[in-house]
Amino acid sequence: MDVYELLRMLHSDKSIQKMQSQVYHDEPILRTASQMQQATPPRIREMRSISGIENGNVRSMESLFYQQGCFMADFTDNYHHYDDFARFFPTYQTLTDRQLRGYFTWRADVRQGKYEKAPTAYAFLYCYELLNLIGADSPADAFAKLKQFYREYQSIEPTLKKYVPAWLDDFVVYYGLLPQSLSPKSCPDYDKHLMTLLDESADIHTKFLALTELSSSALTNSRFYKEHQELTERAVCYAYDAYAEREEDTLAHFFGAKQSIPYYPFESAVFYFKDGKCHDAVYPISGVRQYRCVHGNWRFESYSLPHGKSSKLTKLLRAVDARLRIFTGYHYRIKQDELKPKDIELLDNAIARAVKEEKQRKIPKIEIDLSKLQTIREEAENTCEKLVLPEERAEAECETIETPVTESEPMPTENPLGLSDNAAYLLDCLLNDQPYDRLTMQSGMMLSLLVDEINERLYDEIGDAVLEQDGDSIQLIPDYLDELNAMLHT
């Protein structure tokens, strides 16, 4: 006997008929398991009763979705029938009772970390709930759940990739979460580089790297840059700083004026703005990029930098490279772009400053602790004493011939440069191509100290080092020969 035959027998039983006659209902009391499963849960029927009319006006789709979603936030079912169907902007109201039961069953599994493939509408309906904080304790909790769901389910439902990343960024902005939660696309690297240019404490190298990253220049591959890296970096940064002093808004000059364009958070989603519109707010992503809401209207503000590269900055870097080669007499030249006279003057001043600092940097700085000289002499004498053999010491003691002391030859008396006698003598020997060997033997001074004295004394007058030293060899730079003679014989 099958189940339907059994039900017919039971329904024909008079005692059961009498019991049924005393109960008022729309369905028979005795049903099959399949019929029991098909019955719509009371909670869903109650949700359906939520009116689409509010205060005499037709409620918006978003408002009705939000009210129904809050009512069903903790509901679960046990109806694992996921018949495929299509819905654009799915809501509870647009799904049938069977589809809703399937959704709430699937949602319960998702909340337990079980991601079974289901109709696409289920995935989007779940995202809409989290965007509206349905089923979450806080914005941070909803954001974490949405991000987790997207990470786990995007391979099952690739359509999510088109919408969810943008919704995640909208979520951060709208609910005021930390900017670190934004995707890299919303926080591009050139924001960081632009902020470096605004940072007065940024060092030369960091600033130079930011400028090259924001341009299309291949300056770091330049032959000149590889041979004169620090000089090039200084010249580029000084040139940019010169423009910064001249332009009212340097970033706008190089990267375009700041733009303000309409922004629509949660576009292509079912989202309920609870107060009808957003409150006034400002959400800065960085010092050069922000979202702003005024009277319920959102706008996105940033510099209009196409692809993160500035053509004007590229031209500036190329001009610096070209003029640096001219300034330094570099044998490989590059073609110069046509520049306005005022721009040429600005660049040349910046480059001249960099070149001057480079020369100063190359002048050797020798510091001697004079307090240790006596100790050094004593240690040297002790060492020499230990190196003398006993026989040699005995012979030296027997010698009675006195060695006459030779007085130092007079140093130059005419010294208009204010140098010490020894330094003036060394300079005079070099100018007249005379040997200066006796100087070190008689004075006991290190030549490098005299070279430093001469270079430091004449730097203010000439703007460069006039002597170069290579070991014991000292050379007078020929370019300054005439100028030195003129200064000495004035």
Side-chain angles (χ1 to χ4, degrees):
M1 180 182 297
D2 63 20
V3 66
Y4 293 102
E5 181 67 23
L6 177 61
L7 285 174
R8 280 193 297 271
M9 290 178 61
L10 291 172
H11 280 297
S12 64
D13 187 277
K14 291 185 178 180
S15 62
I16 294 178
Q17 289 177 353
K18 183 178 179 181
M19 182 180 65
Q20 287 182 331
S21 66
Q22 296 174 353
V23 180
Y24 297 92
H25 52 76
D26 294 330
E27 298 180 1
I29 294 176
L30 298 173
R31 290 174 292 177
T32 66
S34 175
Q35 288 173 331
M36 289 286 290
Q37 192 179 39
Q38 294 292 336
T40 302
R43 187 74 169 271
I44 292 181
R45 291 200 299 269
E46 291 179 47
M47 183 205 72
R48 295 283 195 197
S49 68
I50 297 177
S51 175
I53 304 296
E54 185 177 31
N55 299 326
N57 298 316
V58 177
R59 187 196 298 263
S60 69
M61 173 184 70
E62 294 81 6
S63 173
L64 182 59
F65 168 77
Y66 180 75
Q67 295 298 327
Q68 291 180 333
C70 291
F71 183 75
M72 302 297 288
D74 59 351
F75 179 72
T76 60
D77 205 337
N78 186 26
Y79 187 80
H80 292 83
H81 291 275
Y82 307 147
D83 297 332
D84 197 16
F85 65 96
R87 288 286 189 281
F88 292 104
F89 297 103
T91 63
Y92 310 110
Q93 199 70 8
T94 62
L95 269 60
T96 66
D97 288 350
R98 290 184 59 184
Q99 291 166 350
L100 276 176
R101 294 194 64 191
Y103 170 70
F104 290 124
T105 303
W106 174 85
R107 185 182 73 175
D109 287 341
V110 169
R111 288 177 174 178
Q112 295 298 318
K114 303 173 185 176
Y115 300 95
E116 184 179 349
K117 181 172 176 55
T120 302
Y122 286 4
F124 279 87
L125 190 57
Y126 183 64
C127 290
Y128 297 164
E129 288 181 349
L130 293 175
L131 293 179
N132 287 276
L133 307 186
I134 296 170
D137 298 329
S138 65
D141 180 44
F143 180 79
K145 288 177 177 176
L146 179 59
K147 196 170 184 179
Q148 172 71 15
F149 174 69
Y150 176 64
R151 183 166 49 247
E152 299 291 342
Y153 206 75
Q154 60 176 315
S155 59
I156 300 174
E157 182 52 70
T159 312
L160 295 175
K161 297 177 183 179
K162 183 178 179 181
Y163 302 97
V164 177
W167 291 342
L168 286 169
D169 283 347
D170 293 343
F171 196 103
V172 173
V173 172
Y174 183 80
Y175 289 108
L177 302 185
L178 295 175
Q180 294 91 309
S181 301
L182 289 167
S183 65
K185 183 179 179 181
S186 292
C187 298
D189 287 339
Y190 59 78
D191 272 23
K192 178 182 68 176
H193 299 320
L194 289 176
M195 291 301 296
T196 297
L197 299 185
L198 294 174
D199 183 5
E200 295 181 357
S201 64
D203 60 81
I204 292 291
H205 182 64
T206 303
K207 193 171 184 178
F208 172 79
L209 292 180
L211 290 168
T212 54
E213 288 294 328
L214 291 167
S215 75
S216 301
S217 170
L219 181 56
T220 52
N221 294 325
S222 160
R223 181 197 298 264
F224 184 87
Y225 173 76
K226 291 178 180 179
E227 295 179 13
H228 306 279
Q229 179 173 331
E230 186 167 341
L231 171 61
T232 306
E233 292 183 0
R234 285 184 179 277
V236 166
C237 291
Y238 291 165
Y240 178 82
D241 290 344
Y243 271 98
E245 293 178 3
R246 192 181 73 178
E247 300 294 336
E248 184 175 348
D249 188 341
T250 314
L251 293 185
H253 173 78
F254 283 106
F255 309 111
K258 210 167 191 179
Q259 290 187 337
S260 177
I261 59 177
Y263 164 66
Y264 305 98
F266 307 116
E267 194 172 14
S268 302
V270 178
F271 184 80
Y272 176 51
F273 293 95
K274 300 175 184 59
D275 298 325
K277 63 180 182 179
C278 305
H279 295 293
D280 289 358
V282 176
Y283 186 86
I285 296 179
S286 68
V288 294
R289 185 182 298 266
Q290 67 182 10
Y291 293 90
R292 182 188 298 273
C293 183
V294 179
H295 304 310
N297 298 313
W298 280 90
R299 300 190 73 85
F300 174 61
E301 300 173 353
S302 71
Y303 286 97
S304 56
L305 191 63
H307 311 297
K309 305 296 181 181
S310 166
S311 58
K312 288 185 178 179
L313 191 57
T314 302
K315 186 176 180 180
L316 172 66
L317 266 60
R318 180 177 176 82
V320 171
D321 188 13
R323 299 200 70 77
L324 260 175
R325 295 169 186 244
I326 296 174
F327 258 75
T328 58
Y330 195 64
H331 47 285
Y332 294 109
R333 303 291 177 86
I334 61 174
K335 183 180 178 181
Q336 293 189 70
D337 295 326
E338 186 174 347
L339 298 172
K340 297 179 181 178
K342 64 177 183 178
D343 290 331
I344 294 176
E345 182 181 3
L346 180 148
L347 289 176
D348 287 352
N349 289 338
I351 291 172
R353 176 187 170 192
V355 170
K356 181 178 180 180
E357 290 183 4
E358 179 73 2
K359 289 181 178 179
Q360 286 179 313
R361 187 179 67 85
K362 288 185 176 181
I363 296 175
K365 301 291 184 182
I366 300 176
E367 297 182 1
I368 296 179
D369 187 350
L370 298 178
S371 64
K372 296 181 179 180
L373 287 178
Q374 183 60 32
T375 303
I376 294 172
R377 290 193 187 98
E378 291 175 356
E379 290 177 353
E381 290 176 0
N382 291 335
T383 301
C384 291
E385 182 70 21
K386 293 176 182 179
L387 292 175
V388 177
L389 296 174
E391 306 86 58
E392 295 176 342
R393 187 178 295 107
E395 292 178 5
E397 291 174 353
C398 293
E399 291 180 358
T400 57
I401 303 175
E402 296 183 358
T403 304
V405 178
T406 306
E407 295 184 358
S408 299
E409 293 191 11
M411 298 293 108
T413 55
E414 295 184 5
N415 186 5
L417 300 179
L419 297 168
S420 66
D421 290 342
N422 289 327
Y425 176 72
L426 173 60
L427 183 59
D428 185 67
C429 289
L430 293 171
L431 287 170
N432 295 288
D433 198 22
Q434 297 295 322
Y436 50 85
D437 296 346
R438 290 176 296 172
L439 179 65
T440 53
M441 291 187 295
Q442 293 171 0
S443 65
M445 294 186 66
M446 296 174 61
L447 286 177
S448 59
L449 295 180
L450 300 179
V451 171
D452 285 345
E453 179 185 347
I454 295 170
N455 281 334
E456 290 176 4
R457 173 63 186 84
L458 295 176
Y459 190 84
D460 291 337
E461 304 291 338
I462 296 180
D464 198 0
V466 298
L467 301 183
E468 293 180 341
Q469 183 176 6
D470 183 9
D472 293 332
S473 175
I474 302 174
Q475 301 292 330
L476 178 63
I477 299 176
D479 294 350
Y480 307 122
L481 183 60
D482 293 340
E483 193 170 351
L484 283 170
N485 280 318
M487 293 171 65
L488 288 169
H489 298 92
T490 300

